[in-house]
Amino acid sequence: MLTERRQFIVPGKAGLHVDVTVNPIGELKVNVLEKDNCFTGEFEQLVFQTKGRQTELLCKNHRSSSTVKWHVCLASDDARELAKLIELAEEEYEILMRDL
């Protein structure tokens, strides 16, 4: 199980970059580099909402699915790449747990 990292540019925000870490144990870490903001969320808390060429990544609260803990905007292509990384991490974790 390997942790995957990617850097993406926030669309519409001049010069903002996010560093995203996908941990196969089910956790996502998002760091907005220029603002030194760091957010974490579990895979089951994450929701992707596409609006045209941008996709908003939302992390919802466990107790109230209508409450958003944090959100970040990504280009839709970057969001698809991130969703695929999360999917692969979940599959990898399931395979490992089955083999144990």
Side-chain angles (χ1 to χ4, degrees), residues 2-99:
L2 298 175
T3 299
E4 292 282 345
R5 287 183 69 188
R6 296 290 189 279
Q7 276 195 6
F8 302 115
I9 297 172
V10 178
K13 303 286 184 181
L16 286 184
H17 299 81
V18 291
D19 182 60
V20 179
T21 304
V22 178
N23 190 325
I25 63 167
E27 185 178 83
L28 183 78
K29 180 180 172 185
V30 177
N31 185 11
V32 182
L33 299 176
E34 290 78 11
K35 294 191 175 199
D36 200 29
N37 291 342
C38 190
F39 309 106
T40 60
E42 296 176 14
F43 291 168
E44 60 267 2
Q45 294 176 279
L46 303 175
V47 177
F48 291 91
Q49 292 183 343
T50 301
K51 298 172 186 169
R53 300 178 85 168
Q54 296 182 8
T55 300
E56 190 170 16
L57 172 60
L58 307 168
C59 181
K60 300 222 174 175
N61 192 324
H62 274 300
R63 294 187 183 122
S64 170
S65 62
S66 63
T67 305
V68 176
K69 288 174 48 176
W70 56 264
H71 64 96
V72 65
C73 192
L74 300 169
S76 291
D77 289 343
D78 294 341
R80 279 191 289 278
E81 179 181 351
L82 179 57
K84 186 66 175 171
L85 287 174
I86 291 170
E87 181 182 326
L88 291 172
E90 288 175 323
E91 289 174 8
E92 189 176 321
Y93 187 74
E94 285 178 22
I95 290 168
L96 179 66
M97 290 295 112
R98 243 179 298 159
D99 290 347

